[in-house]
Amino acid sequence: MYSVYVLDLTHPLFSGKNPLGLAAFFIPDGGTGRENFISSFFDAATLKARLVKHESHIVEKIESAFSPPVSKSISLESKLISKGKDYFLRSLADYHQSAQSLLPALELSETTAESLIEVHNLGMSPILKAHLSSYVMKLLTHHWNEVEQCDGAPHEPIASIMSTIQRDCYSLASPENRDKEKFLENDFFTLLYRLILHTARKLQLCLRKLDTENECDFPNASFMIAPPLPEQKTPYRVVKVFFRSTWQLNQLQQRNRVCLIPRVNLSLPAALKALPSEITRELN
């Protein structure tokens, strides 16, 4: 499947003329990048996977390039040498931290990292990202209370969500890949579950903060993470909340809320771009 379809739940065909109770605008604030925890958590996980697999090798290449003798396989310009290796090592560490800032606390195994990288190399990332976004909406809509009780401690995944992840990943893999063990490993499915749970929990915290008067019945609402419009230039995302209560619809309608969220830059830092391509090619 190479197409993704998004239903507009605000259309009168679904819930009447005015079903929307609350629209929360999540606007990235500060930083230099466009990425944030709603739009780019899977991209951050893929970047972390590349770092897990290649970071130690890149560190070795940087240290080697700055170490004597002068004649080495990787030669540096004098302006780069003058900055010293620590400058570039710090940039690499900051790059890793930027990716981690959008993720839950996790340690990727090398096998799981390779699975993420292969998903990216096969061009499956956009489709899988759309699926993950739908899982986040499903968690908020059907399991609000269970998600709200999560405090970061390990717990048994919600069975219905995990089985959906496993089924969809299996169907997305091409027939020749379905028999590959790494596409069916529980660690990979668990990683995807932890990503969506982390994102759903962060959205919950933001929505609760926006509900300053405690007037929203979130556990009995439906949620939609609206995709960005093609003409949209700013990287904001809209989360639409649909309440079943007529009173809440009347009270909250047209009351848009704004939440400022941190944004990061997942593009290769300028310092690392300045290095010879043979040092950083695994990150491109």
Side-chain angles (χ1 to χ4, degrees):
M1 182 177 66
Y2 293 97
S3 299
V4 175
Y5 298 89
V6 179
L7 297 180
D8 180 6
L9 299 183
T10 64
H11 195 282
L13 184 64
F14 289 98
S15 304
K17 293 183 179 180
N18 297 302
L20 179 62
L22 176 66
F25 289 77
F26 288 80
I27 301 177
D29 183 47
T32 58
R34 294 175 56 86
E35 291 82 6
N36 58 76
F37 79 88
I38 303 175
S39 65
S40 304
F41 64 90
F42 184 72
D43 303 297
T46 303
L47 172 55
K48 183 176 176 67
R50 294 203 298 269
L51 288 165
V52 164
K53 187 172 182 180
H54 301 295
E55 186 171 16
S56 60
H57 186 216
I58 294 172
V59 168
E60 290 177 3
K61 288 192 288 186
I62 292 175
E63 292 179 339
S64 175
F66 281 88
S67 302
V70 177
S71 60
K72 298 175 290 293
S73 58
I74 300 176
S75 58
L76 298 178
E77 300 176 8
S78 58
K79 64 179 180 181
L80 296 180
I81 295 176
S82 65
K83 291 182 178 293
K85 68 177 181 181
D86 288 344
Y87 169 76
F88 298 98
L89 293 176
R90 282 196 303 271
S91 180
L92 182 62
D94 291 343
Y95 193 36
H96 197 154
Q97 180 56 41
S98 293
Q100 186 59 58
S101 68
L102 301 183
L103 302 172
L106 54 84
E107 293 295 331
L108 289 181
S109 68
E110 191 164 327
T111 303
T112 306
E114 287 179 354
S115 295
L116 279 171
I117 293 169
E118 183 157 359
V119 164
H120 174 76
N121 292 340
L122 290 173
M124 294 168 60
S125 292
I127 299 173
L128 189 53
K129 284 173 65 176
H131 278 74
L132 294 178
S133 182
S134 74
Y135 304 150
V136 173
M137 290 185 272
K138 189 173 182 179
L139 274 174
L140 293 175
T141 300
H142 300 291
H143 304 282
W144 175 278
N145 289 331
E146 291 129 295
V147 172
E148 198 162 36
Q149 291 168 5
C150 295
D151 56 1
H155 73 287
E156 191 69 23
I158 297 171
S160 62
I161 301 294
M162 181 61 84
S163 62
T164 300
I165 292 173
Q166 293 172 324
R167 181 197 65 215
D168 289 347
C169 285
Y170 185 79
S171 66
L172 287 173
S174 60
E176 60 269 22
N177 281 327
R178 287 177 186 170
D179 294 331
K180 289 186 178 180
E181 184 179 354
K182 60 185 166 184
F183 266 94
L184 304 176
E185 281 193 350
N186 285 332
D187 284 351
F188 182 66
F189 301 138
T190 301
L191 167 67
L192 297 183
Y193 180 84
R194 290 189 65 187
L195 291 177
I196 63 170
L197 179 65
H198 177 72
T199 304
R201 182 64 181 134
K202 292 196 71 170
L203 281 171
Q204 271 191 341
L205 293 171
C206 292
L207 289 170
R208 283 295 192 193
K209 287 182 180 179
L210 293 178
D211 183 25
T212 55
E213 298 178 7
N214 197 28
E215 56 188 346
C216 297
D217 185 19
F218 289 126
N220 293 308
S222 299
F223 297 82
M224 178 182 179
I225 303 175
L229 300 173
E231 66 274 12
Q232 184 175 311
K233 295 182 179 179
T234 54
Y236 70 84
R237 299 300 293 269
V238 182
V239 175
K240 299 179 179 181
V241 187
F242 305 87
F243 297 101
R244 296 180 178 88
S245 165
T246 303
W247 178 85
Q248 284 203 319
L249 289 177
N250 294 335
Q251 292 294 316
L252 297 172
Q253 204 147 38
Q254 305 302 324
R255 293 178 64 180
N256 296 337
R257 310 290 173 89
V258 174
C259 181
L260 299 180
I261 57 176
R263 62 178 176 177
V264 300
N265 191 347
L266 297 183
S267 301
L268 193 68
L272 299 181
K273 284 182 180 179
L275 292 172
S277 60
E278 57 262 39
I279 294 180
T280 59
R281 60 172 169 255
E282 291 92 350
L283 297 179
N284 296 322

